[in-house]
Amino acid sequence: MSMPRLYARVLGLLGKETRLGWLLAAANLMLAAAQFAEPVLFGRIIDVLSGNLSTGAMAREVASPWPLLAAWVAFGLFTIGCGAAVTLNAERLAHRQRQVVLTNYFEHIMQLPLTFHTGTHSGRLMKVMLQGTDALWRLWLGFFREHFAAFVSLVVLLPLSLYINWRLAILLFLLCVVFTVLTTLVVRKTYGMQSEVEEHYSDLSSRASDALGNVALVQSFVRIDSEVQGLRDVAGRLLAVQMPVLSWWALVTVMTRASTTITVLAIFSVGIVLHQQGLTTVGEIVMFVSFATMLIQRLEQVVGFINSVFMEAPRLQEFMNVLDAVPAVRDRPDAIDPGRLQGLVEFDNVSFSYDGKRAAVADLSFTALPGQTIALVGDTGAGKSTAIALLHRAFDPQSGFIRIDGMDVRGMALGALRRNIGVVFQEALLFNRSIADNLRVGKPDATEDELRAAAQRAQALDFIERADLKFGTNAGERGRLLSGGERQRLSIARAILKDPPILILDEATSALDAVTEQKVNAALDEVMIGRTTFVIAHRLSTIRKATRILVFEQGRVIESGTFDELVAQGGHFAALATAQFMVHDSARQDAAQDH
C-alpha cells in the first residue's frame, strides 16, 4: 500500500469524527491565511516608517502605521484563539477515536477463526493493536494540529510571494525544490529498512511474551540467561537496522536547515542588489525574510509529517492487514435466532479440509437424538475435534450439512447457536479474574445461589469455600493460582451454569485425579440427562455409558456402536480397550464368539 493511500485510509478511520475533522480542516485554512498577515503587515509598516513607497504590485500609501498595527493585532488575536481551539479539539478527536478504533480492532480479532489465532502469536496481536492505535492517534493529532496547516501554507505562500516580488520568490522555490528532492531520495532509500525494523519489533514482542507466558518452563530448565540473551540479540538486530534509517533522516534535517540558512542569506544579498536598482523596498526584503522563516518552519513541519508517516507506515500496514482479515465464519444476512434448541443433531455427508489436500473429516454422517451421549474415539489427528468444531461453527464444512432440530447451523446466528452449546475444553481456560466472574461467563446474570449450586455439582464448592475470598478469589493468569483439577472443575461448573441443550466434553476429566474424576463423572452423568452430549475421549473408562461410540481414523468413522458391541467386534476399538486394560484378550475373544 502506497503512503498516500495508507494516509487516506488513516483519515478514513475517523468514522463519526469525520464531521469534526472537516471543521478542523476549515479552521486550519483560516489559520494558515491569517498567519500570512504578519509578515505582509510587518513589511508594509517598515515601508511606511521609512517613507519608502514602492511601485510594486502590493504597494499602499498609508499616512500612519497605526491602522496597519491594529490589523496586525486583530490577525494575531484571531490566530491565537483559532490555534487554541484547533489544538484542543484535535486532541479530543484523536483521543476519542483512538479508543473507538482500539475496541473495534479488539472485537474484530475476537471474531477471527481459531485457525488465525493458532498461526498468530497473541503477543504480536497485542503489539499490533497498541502500536497501531497509537500511530493513528499521533497522525490524527499531527494532521489537524499542524500538518494540514503546513501544507496549506506552502500552497498559499509560494503564489503570494510571486505576486509580491517574483525575483525574490525564485529563491523560495529553489529551497522547496531542494527539500523535495532530498526527502524523496531518503524515503526511497529507507522505506524497506523501516519495514524490516518493524518486523524486528514484532519478533521482540513475540519473544518477550512467549518467555513470560512460559516462565515456569524457563525457570525450571534454567533458561533465564538464555532467554535474556535471545532478547538482547533481537534488540541488537533491531538497532542495527534502525540506526541507518535515523542517520538518513538526521541528514535530511541538517541539509534542510543548511538550505534555509543559505536561502535567507541569498534573499538579503539579492534584495540589496534589487533595492539598489529600485526594484524592491526595504519592507519587501524584510517581508521575504519573514516568508523564508515561515517557510523554514513549515518545511520542518512537513519533514516531521513525512518522517512520522514513514516511520509509522509499517505499523499501520500491520494494523490494516489484521483489520482487513475476513472471518471465515460469519452470520448470513438472513441468519435467525432459533431460541432454545431441543438438541437433535444430524451430520449429513460432512467433509472438511484445513489445507485443501488432506481431509480432516470425510463423508461424516450420523444422528444424535436429544438426550443421547455420543462419544468420539480415535488417535490424535483422527478428526474428532474437527467434527465437534464444525458443530459449533469454529469452521464451516466444505460439503455436506450439519443440522440441529432440522435447521442448518449456517442459517443460525452464531451467537444464538453457541448459546445452545456448552463446551468443557481439555485445557481449562480461565480469565485473570475472580472465580465468580469466570463462572458467570456461562451465565452473566447468575445469582450467588446459582454459582454455589453449579460449583457443588461440579465438585468445586469445597476448594472455593476454603479460599479466603471464596467466590471473589482471583484465578490468576490462565488460572495459574489454581491447580489443574480445580481449573477443570471450574470449567465444568461454568458449563453446568450455562445449562445448554447440547454439551461438548473435550477430555473434560483429563486433569483430575482418580477420586475427583469419579466424583465429577457422577456429576456429569446427572448433568448430561436430557442433553445431547458429545464426549471426545482418549481414556475409554469415561465413555462406558455412551449411547453410541464413533471410532475415527483419518477423518472417517470406521466403527460405530455401544461399548460392549465394539469390544465384541474385536476391531480397532477393542484393541484400544485392551491396550488401556479395559478388557482382557480372553474376555474379548469370548465376547466375539458370543456375538
Side-chain angles (χ1 to χ4, degrees):
M1 187 181 296
S2 64
M3 280 203 283
R5 184 181 172 191
L6 182 65
Y7 201 71
R9 183 80 184 275
V10 168
L11 295 178
L13 287 174
L14 285 172
K16 294 181 179 179
E17 300 287 347
T18 301
R19 182 180 178 184
L20 177 57
W22 280 110
L23 291 175
L24 289 173
N28 271 289
L29 283 172
M30 294 186 290
L31 190 61
Q35 287 173 342
F36 289 113
E38 181 176 339
V40 173
L41 291 170
F42 186 27
R44 293 303 134 205
I45 289 173
I46 294 293
D47 281 339
V48 169
L49 291 176
S50 64
N52 186 3
L53 301 178
S54 172
T55 58
M58 289 190 64
R60 296 288 186 274
E61 293 194 19
V62 180
S64 171
W66 293 112
L68 294 173
L69 190 61
W72 191 347
V73 171
F75 277 110
L77 290 175
F78 173 80
T79 299
I80 293 171
C82 186
V86 167
T87 299
L88 178 61
N89 284 283
E91 290 272 5
R92 291 177 174 177
L93 177 150
H95 279 85
R96 281 198 302 262
Q97 196 59 22
R98 174 172 60 175
Q99 303 309 321
V100 170
V101 172
L102 186 146
T103 52
N104 288 343
Y105 173 94
F106 181 75
E107 179 182 12
H108 174 72
I109 61 175
M110 293 298 288
Q111 293 173 340
L112 292 176
L114 292 178
T115 48
F116 175 87
H117 290 279
T118 301
T120 308
H121 198 284
S122 58
R124 183 181 292 262
L125 288 177
M126 282 293 295
K127 172 257 182 188
V128 170
M129 179 175 72
L130 296 176
Q131 289 194 350
T133 51
D134 282 349
L136 289 170
W137 171 76
R138 286 190 290 269
L139 291 180
W140 286 329
L141 189 60
F143 181 83
F144 291 113
R145 194 167 60 182
E146 57 185 27
H147 294 152
F148 185 66
F151 278 107
V152 171
S153 297
L154 291 177
V155 171
V156 175
L157 175 61
L158 296 177
L160 179 62
S161 63
L162 277 173
Y163 180 70
I164 296 172
N165 191 309
W166 65 269
R167 297 173 180 86
L168 293 176
I170 290 175
L171 298 174
L172 298 180
F173 272 99
L174 290 175
L175 176 61
C176 288
V177 170
V178 171
F179 161 76
T180 302
V181 171
L182 285 176
T183 305
T184 302
L185 289 175
V186 171
V187 167
R188 289 183 176 179
K189 182 74 176 178
T190 57
Y191 186 77
M193 293 182 186
Q194 187 60 33
S195 297
E196 190 176 352
V197 167
E198 203 53 39
E199 290 178 7
H200 287 305
Y201 270 117
S202 295
D203 291 342
L204 190 72
S205 177
S206 297
R207 190 176 185 96
S209 176
D210 203 31
L212 289 172
N214 293 283
V215 65
L217 176 66
V218 171
Q219 291 180 353
S220 64
F221 280 82
V222 198
R223 291 275 305 175
I224 295 177
D225 291 342
S226 177
E227 290 299 322
V228 171
Q229 185 58 48
L231 198 67
R232 284 178 181 150
D233 291 342
V234 176
R237 290 193 294 272
L238 187 155
L239 287 174
V241 180
Q242 182 74 85
M243 289 305 177
V245 177
L246 299 177
S247 299
W248 277 104
W249 282 102
L251 178 63
V252 169
T253 303
V254 171
M255 295 187 71
T256 301
R257 291 181 179 177
S259 300
T260 53
T261 301
I262 295 171
T263 302
V264 171
L265 292 174
I267 287 173
F268 270 114
S269 301
V270 175
I272 291 172
V273 173
L274 293 175
H275 179 66
Q276 290 174 344
Q277 297 176 3
L279 297 175
T280 188
T281 66
V282 174
E284 286 182 352
I285 295 173
V286 172
M287 191 187 306
F288 268 84
V289 170
S290 298
F291 280 166
T293 303
M294 183 181 292
L295 184 63
I296 293 166
Q297 294 173 348
R298 295 295 180 257
L299 286 178
E300 287 181 342
Q301 288 175 349
V302 171
V303 168
F305 162 73
I306 295 175
N307 191 17
S308 63
V309 174
F310 167 76
M311 298 292 281
E312 306 289 10
R315 297 169 189 168
L316 290 170
Q317 187 66 65
E318 272 193 308
F319 185 85
M320 300 302 180
N321 288 341
V322 176
L323 209 57
D324 291 340
V326 179
V329 177
R330 291 175 288 176
D331 283 339
R332 291 178 176 177
D334 58 347
I336 63 170
D337 183 348
R340 185 175 177 86
L341 299 168
Q342 296 299 312
L344 171 62
V345 177
E346 300 171 273
F347 277 66
D348 184 2
N349 288 316
V350 172
S351 296
F352 175 80
S353 172
Y354 291 101
D355 56 10
K357 299 176 182 178
R358 187 178 68 87
V361 170
D363 301 324
L364 179 60
S365 296
F366 69 88
T367 300
L369 300 177
Q372 288 188 338
T373 298
I374 306 298
L376 289 75
V377 175
D379 299 332
T380 300
K384 311 181 299 298
S385 296
T386 301
I388 296 303
L390 292 169
L391 175 61
H392 58 86
R393 292 197 70 196
F395 322 102
D396 279 335
Q398 275 105 26
S399 63
F401 300 92
I402 301 174
R403 301 183 182 89
I404 301 179
D405 294 355
M407 293 177 284
D408 191 335
V409 294
R410 289 171 289 195
M412 301 180 192
L414 271 172
L417 169 67
R418 291 170 181 173
R419 277 193 293 272
N420 281 279
I421 301 174
V423 184
V424 180
F425 297 97
Q426 181 176 6
E427 178 187 359
L429 305 175
L430 298 178
F431 292 111
N432 185 21
R433 302 168 194 171
S434 69
I435 289 175
D437 287 341
N438 275 286
L439 293 179
R440 285 196 174 99
V441 170
K443 187 179 182 183
D445 59 348
T447 65
E448 188 170 344
D449 289 340
E450 288 175 319
L451 295 181
R452 292 178 62 85
Q456 186 170 24
R457 293 175 69 183
Q459 305 294 319
L461 189 60
D462 54 346
F463 75 81
I464 294 174
E465 293 290 347
R466 287 197 302 269
D468 292 337
L469 299 178
K470 299 190 170 38
F471 282 92
T473 302
N474 193 281
E477 185 180 3
R478 299 184 181 180
R480 286 176 180 169
L481 294 179
L482 305 173
S483 70
E486 290 169 346
R487 291 197 296 269
Q488 197 67 297
R489 279 179 277 175
L490 285 182
S491 66
I492 293 170
R494 185 169 57 197
I496 292 171
L497 195 63
K498 186 177 181 180
D499 189 28
I502 300 172
L503 188 64
I504 297 171
L505 306 176
D506 186 356
E507 288 288 337
T509 60
S510 62
L512 305 180
D513 58 79
V515 175
T516 306
E517 179 184 6
Q518 186 177 5
K519 293 178 181 179
V520 173
N521 278 332
L524 289 175
D525 287 342
E526 178 186 350
V527 174
M528 290 189 300
I529 296 173
R531 305 179 203 278
T532 307
T533 305
F534 295 89
V535 182
I536 300 176
H538 287 101
R539 292 162 62 176
L540 304 185
S541 59
T542 61
I543 58 171
R544 272 190 174 275
K545 299 179 182 179
T547 308
R548 192 180 348 158
I549 299 171
L550 305 178
V551 183
F552 280 73
E553 186 175 49
Q554 295 183 356
R556 299 178 182 273
V557 176
I558 58 172
E559 296 177 7
S560 175
T562 64
F563 188 95
D564 292 335
E565 288 172 349
L566 292 176
V567 169
Q569 288 178 16
H572 188 77
F573 181 84
L576 290 175
T578 302
Q580 294 186 23
F581 304 103
M582 293 291 297
V583 296
H584 297 292
D585 286 337
S586 57
R588 186 182 69 183
Q589 292 170 0
D590 293 341
Q593 291 174 358
D594 293 339
H595 184 72

